[in-house]
Amino acid sequence: MNKINLLKPDLNNLYTYMYSAYFLIFISILDVFLNAFFSINITSFLPSFISFVLPLILGLIGLHFLRIEFTGIKNLDLLNKHINTNNFNAFLTLIIVFVIIKSIPPILSWFIIDANISGDTKDACTGTGACWTYIKIWLRRFVYGMYPNDEQWRINLSFISLLGLGSIGYFATEKFKKYLTLYYVIIYPFIAFLFIFFFISGGPVFFEFSYGIIAFAGSIIVGFFIPKKIKIWYFLSIPIILYISLKYFFFYEESIDLGKLDGFNWVETGAWGGLSLTFIVSFFCLIFCFPVGMFLALGRRSGLPTVRFISIGFIEFWRGVPLITVLFMSSVMFPMFLPEDFFMDKLVRVIIAISLFEAAYVAEVIRGGLQALPRGQYDAAKSLGMGYWKMHILVILPQALKLVIPGIANTFLALVKDTPLIFVVGLLELVGMLNLAKTNPEWLGFAMEGYVFAAIIFWIICYAMSKYSYNLELKYKTER
Amino acid sequence: MSDPIIKIENVNKWFGDFQVLKDINLEVEKNKKIVVCGPSGSGKSTLIRCINRLEEHQKGSIVVDGTTLDENTKNIEQVRAEVGMVFQQFNLFPHLSILDNCTLAPIWVKKMPKQKAEELAMKQLEQVQIADQAQKYPGQLSGGQQQRCAIARALCMEPKIMLFDEPTSALDPEMIKEVLDAMVNLAKAGMTMIVVTHEMGFAKEVADEVIFMDEGMIVEKAVTKDFFANPKSDRTKLFLSQIL
């Protein structure tokens, strides 16, 4: 047996130090654990202050004993290298472990043990924990807002279909890969728009769109057989003529009552709400703000003074005003400037307002990416004879956008979390519905549950987006 | 003698108050190889960047293969499609594979069918001996390989004139030779070339004429043999004594 110096643990007495350290740390954690979970203080015979700090002291001594270099025991070496490098780090580690142990019981009891989920009324909530009954009863409202219960399948169907159509990219074969960008940038948003207006809104808008689709799809199919010379004139005139003739001379519009289409009741946008509205607003704002932001970024770096100044003015204007005023203006002020018979839905106005607002931020993020590219890339593209658009689409933007994926993801996350602000114009998405439910006289006093619920939902959405953006980053990573 | 393919008359250029090019007059005939040398900051790079209008000249005129370079974007793009350029920093497109780097411009600018463009690209890559790297990305290649790829990329546009802007200055010494070899082969194939370089060995081997520039002016322009054997101006003598 070598001499033991308690202040300087060494390799010679490794096991002595190790086992006494394990014992001390075990005691200290056990003390905190018992205290937290069973309210038993095993050191109650000591003065209260010493009893309070004893686990910390024991743990510190234990970790000090453990701090031996090159023990050859893998886990112990890892522990020493990452956590137990000096007394201060050991102290922080212990504090964090204690706080976690201490906080588990109250959280558990609030969320699960003392919580209630049975019953249909407020009276069912007798425990001291959360009242999930409240969430259960109001779930439909939180997800669908004031949308009529019988019609909610329309929202579900739309969302499921859009999700299905959105995942087409994963199944596309090589042959169709090159059309994917076109699909996602133009066709998919259009289909989404159709779904929202046809299924979720369910109004006569359907006719307009059906005519539009018939006109365009028809003329594009015929367009393949048109000689090249007159193609431009053909595409400029025929779809519009076809659309107008369908709209004014087609008969089946009169044969069906405008307000109803096979039982599809018109649900005005004021009744939409809850999580589904959060999705709708976020989805369209994301889709619109990105291209607008891209053009603004290019515009701000353009050599043409008019384009540049308009872009700068636009960006600085929208960045300079708070979103809440933008929303307020869009719903209250904007209609005053419109002709009397011109009507634009409140939701559409809000989506446009948020899109323009976020586009200014996206523009600046993308501009950062454009500026990060070396000038040589522009030179090389130009020297190969590419014009402005070819250079940007083929060479500059693919690289710049790849660089700014983290920044774009940041902006998009902020956008999703900004959507609750639309309450100022009377649209109630998830948080808006929570606020409404919170003030219902039958269900007073459950604000906490509501906000925790919303926080979890938002966290899931945002974490998914953040993960997705990270995957994109990895996917497009190339060595420079 | 045939008409000059590049005709530069009284070209002046300023960066702010600083005059980089002073009354440059130069005529380059088809299939000639011109080497431009001179101390740094003498305007060599600016001069050849003016030839495909990566830089704008403010006075004088530049006519390339019958097309005058002016504000007209169409003219500029036409000239650029006919004039290939190789840069000091390679400037390959890092997001595309070597093959895609070479086929991008032929497909999108010259509207060549993809298959034909790929055949052409492979042929050019074969010429510079990096055909086996075609599927890699620029970041995975050495400097010399990247520069050879840049030469192949420029050649895929089937240019009439090639401009080289210090193509070997950013390379490790042992990689310079492989790039110079590729350029020598190109010269032997009869390409019209203007090369800004400090490689005097290369100049002696392939150049028809050597131009010496200093402070934005062409100080001396002579047939290669005369230029090295008996330079006329003192400035040229000084320069040659320093680098040879």
Side-chain angles (χ1 to χ4, degrees):
Chain A
M1 199 75 184
N2 289 301
K3 205 178 142 218
I4 290 179
N5 181 353
L6 285 181
L7 288 176
K8 275 189 88 171
D10 58 276
L11 260 181
N12 296 329
N13 297 302
L14 177 62
Y15 286 94
T16 319
Y17 285 118
M18 234 171 71
Y19 288 126
S20 46
Y22 287 161
F23 178 71
L24 289 171
I25 294 170
F26 174 74
I27 293 285
S28 97
I29 288 179
L30 182 75
D31 184 20
V32 177
F33 176 79
L34 289 176
N35 199 339
F37 281 76
F38 303 104
S39 304
I40 304 168
N41 190 356
I42 49 172
T43 52
S44 55
F45 54 87
L46 292 167
S48 65
F49 177 73
I50 297 176
S51 161
F52 181 70
V53 294
L54 191 68
L56 191 61
I57 295 168
L58 290 180
L60 273 178
I61 296 172
L63 285 173
H64 174 75
F65 280 174
L66 271 185
R67 205 172 299 128
I68 304 167
E69 282 185 348
F70 312 121
T71 52
I73 302 166
K74 201 179 153 208
N75 288 337
L76 186 57
D77 282 344
L78 278 180
L79 180 86
N80 280 336
K81 194 175 160 200
H82 295 300
I83 292 170
N84 192 17
T85 43
N86 53 37
N87 279 328
F88 181 66
N89 283 353
F91 171 75
L92 289 182
T93 308
L94 285 173
I95 293 284
I96 289 167
V97 170
F98 293 165
V99 167
I100 290 172
I101 294 175
K102 274 275 189 191
S103 58
I104 289 173
I107 289 176
L108 266 185
S109 97
W110 191 82
F111 270 89
I112 297 165
I113 298 168
D114 293 329
N116 293 84
I117 192 158
S118 57
D120 304 318
T121 57
K122 191 182 173 183
D123 303 330
C125 291
T126 48
T128 51
C131 178
W132 299 125
T133 316
Y134 163 75
I135 302 291
K136 189 181 76 180
I137 299 296
W138 283 85
L139 191 61
R140 261 171 188 270
R141 297 276 84 83
F142 290 159
V143 176
Y144 302 106
M146 294 305 182
Y147 207 87
N149 283 1
D150 301 339
E151 311 282 349
Q152 282 162 6
W153 62 271
R154 279 154 56 179
I155 296 185
N156 294 341
L157 181 71
S158 306
F159 278 30
I160 291 168
S161 318
L162 286 178
L163 213 61
L165 287 168
S167 59
I168 275 182
Y170 290 103
F171 308 112
T173 51
E174 272 311 310
K175 203 178 160 192
F176 293 101
K177 276 250 161 80
K178 56 183 169 181
Y179 301 114
L180 274 184
T181 320
L182 176 80
Y183 171 73
Y184 277 117
V185 174
I186 296 169
I187 299 174
Y188 185 64
F190 188 69
I191 296 175
F193 205 61
L194 272 185
F195 264 107
I196 304 292
F197 274 85
F198 173 41
F199 272 121
I200 301 186
S201 179
V205 197
F206 168 64
F207 291 107
E208 307 271 339
F209 276 106
S210 62
Y211 295 155
I213 288 175
I214 294 171
F216 274 93
S219 48
I220 284 172
I221 291 166
V222 179
F224 280 112
F225 307 104
I226 299 289
K228 233 180 185 169
K229 261 189 183 168
I230 53 166
K231 233 175 196 170
I232 295 176
W233 300 110
Y234 169 80
F235 276 115
L236 278 181
S237 56
I238 296 297
I240 297 161
I241 294 172
L242 204 60
Y243 174 75
I244 292 170
S245 54
L246 278 172
K247 187 168 159 58
Y248 291 103
F249 304 109
F250 211 51
F251 55 89
Y252 91 114
E253 188 161 348
E254 279 90 50
S255 66
I256 303 167
D257 180 12
L258 277 189
K260 281 182 183 174
L261 179 73
D262 287 337
F264 273 20
N265 292 319
W266 164 263
V267 183
E268 59 151 355
T269 51
W272 304 12
L275 189 59
S276 54
L277 187 63
T278 309
F279 279 130
I280 292 172
V281 172
S282 312
F283 176 81
F284 281 106
C285 291
L286 293 188
I287 282 184
F288 291 136
C289 79
F290 186 69
V292 177
M294 206 162 73
F295 282 114
L296 284 174
L298 293 178
R300 191 163 186 173
R301 287 168 57 80
S302 164
L304 308 168
T306 328
V307 176
R308 188 167 66 241
F309 287 129
I310 289 175
S311 302
I312 292 177
F314 186 95
I315 291 170
E316 295 305 338
F317 172 76
W318 289 99
R319 283 208 306 175
V321 288
L323 181 55
I324 207 157
T325 49
V326 171
L327 289 170
F328 193 72
M329 294 274 187
S330 78
S331 88
V332 182
M333 301 283 287
F334 184 64
M336 291 182 191
F337 302 114
L338 289 178
E340 288 223 341
D341 51 347
F342 188 90
F343 173 75
M344 198 190 237
D345 192 88
K346 190 157 72 176
L347 181 63
V348 177
R349 273 179 284 157
V350 161
I351 288 177
I352 292 175
I354 299 181
S355 299
L356 294 179
F357 180 83
E358 296 292 340
Y361 286 89
V362 171
E364 287 298 278
V365 172
I366 294 180
R367 189 167 69 95
L370 291 174
Q371 280 173 347
L373 287 189
R375 191 178 155 215
Q377 292 293 317
Y378 292 86
D379 284 349
K382 281 184 199 161
S383 78
L384 288 168
M386 295 184 196
Y388 181 85
W389 290 110
K390 276 179 191 159
M391 172 172 84
H392 276 94
I393 293 171
L394 298 172
V395 176
I396 304 300
L397 282 174
Q399 296 184 60
L401 293 182
K402 194 173 74 188
L403 281 177
V404 298
I405 290 173
I408 295 274
N410 226 352
T411 315
F412 280 6
L413 286 177
L415 189 158
V416 171
K417 290 190 286 183
D418 276 346
T419 53
L421 280 180
I422 60 177
F423 83 88
V424 294
V425 299
L427 289 171
L428 301 176
E429 48 64 74
L430 179 55
V431 179
M433 287 311 295
L434 281 172
N435 282 331
L436 194 70
K438 173 179 89 172
T439 51
N440 186 308
E442 306 237 324
W443 291 94
L444 285 175
F446 296 117
M448 180 82 161
E449 285 84 346
Y451 287 123
V452 169
F453 175 72
I456 293 170
I457 298 286
F458 269 99
W459 185 82
I460 291 170
I461 297 172
C462 292
Y463 186 69
M465 286 175 67
S466 130
K467 265 283 169 213
Y468 181 71
S469 86
Y470 190 66
N471 284 346
L472 272 188
E473 247 176 271
L474 290 183
K475 189 174 156 195
Y476 292 116
K477 197 169 156 193
T478 48
E479 291 169 59
R480 281 193 68 88
Chain B
M1 271 289 154
S2 57
D3 272 350
I5 193 164
I6 302 175
K7 207 169 175 181
I8 300 175
E9 279 178 341
N10 295 323
V11 162
N12 284 274
K13 179 170 174 56
W14 288 265
F15 283 138
D17 289 335
F18 179 68
Q19 189 168 9
V20 269
L21 295 179
K22 297 171 190 162
D23 280 330
I24 302 284
N25 282 293
L26 181 66
E27 290 189 352
V28 180
E29 278 158 18
K30 209 164 188 280
N31 300 342
K32 293 282 182 192
K33 288 89 188 139
I34 312 283
V35 164
V36 185
C37 60
S40 57
S42 58
K44 320 174 290 275
S45 291
T46 312
L47 175 63
I48 73 163
R49 286 167 66 88
C50 279
I51 294 173
N52 65 359
R53 213 179 168 86
L54 289 180
E55 302 282 356
E56 248 172 76
H57 57 278
Q58 279 117 5
K59 249 173 87 180
S61 81
I62 300 179
V63 181
V64 180
D65 199 22
T67 315
T68 311
L69 282 172
D70 49 23
E71 298 296 322
N72 190 338
T73 340
K74 231 175 187 167
N75 284 355
I76 296 174
E77 274 167 34
Q78 192 187 335
V79 166
R80 282 175 182 164
E82 280 179 15
V83 179
M85 185 155 187
V86 175
F87 301 88
Q88 184 178 0
Q89 298 295 342
F90 329 136
N91 295 345
L92 293 177
F93 306 134
H95 62 300
L96 298 174
S97 70
I98 297 299
L99 185 64
D100 290 341
N101 260 284
C102 294
T103 56
L104 188 72
I107 290 175
W108 291 95
V109 179
K110 288 183 104 180
K111 312 280 180 211
M112 204 182 269
K114 194 175 178 212
Q115 204 189 348
K116 209 180 144 208
E118 276 177 5
E119 278 167 23
L120 175 68
M122 286 313 288
K123 205 184 91 197
Q124 297 295 356
L125 289 172
E126 203 89 49
Q127 290 279 316
V128 294
Q129 293 167 11
I130 44 168
D132 50 333
Q133 315 280 353
Q135 299 307 327
K136 288 193 182 170
Y137 283 87
Q140 297 165 312
L141 265 53
S142 75
Q145 289 171 325
Q146 288 194 41
Q147 191 62 297
R148 283 183 283 153
C149 169
I151 294 173
R153 178 179 70 178
L155 289 176
C156 281
M157 286 295 282
E158 294 172 322
K160 293 183 179 163
I161 304 162
M162 284 288 283
L163 308 174
F164 292 85
D165 187 3
E166 305 199 25
T168 55
S169 301
L171 293 174
D172 288 342
E174 68 255 47
M175 293 173 181
I176 290 177
K177 193 175 171 304
E178 58 187 54
V179 172
L180 287 182
D181 284 348
M183 289 165 65
V184 170
N185 287 338
L186 187 60
K188 282 181 183 153
M191 177 66 74
T192 312
M193 291 163 74
I194 301 183
V195 184
V196 173
T197 188
H198 298 295
E199 297 293 330
M200 288 302 129
F202 173 78
K204 280 177 187 167
E205 191 181 344
V206 300
D208 295 309
E209 278 180 1
V210 179
I211 290 171
F212 177 71
M213 284 184 72
D214 191 23
E215 292 179 348
M217 287 181 290
I218 295 184
V219 176
E220 186 153 353
K221 175 174 183 263
V223 178
T224 313
K225 220 193 281 170
D226 296 342
F227 182 84
F228 289 107
N230 39 18
K232 286 182 196 98
S233 82
D234 294 339
R235 186 69 187 86
T236 318
K237 282 176 197 162
L238 180 68
F239 178 74
L240 286 175
S241 72
Q242 277 166 347
I243 69 166
L244 283 179

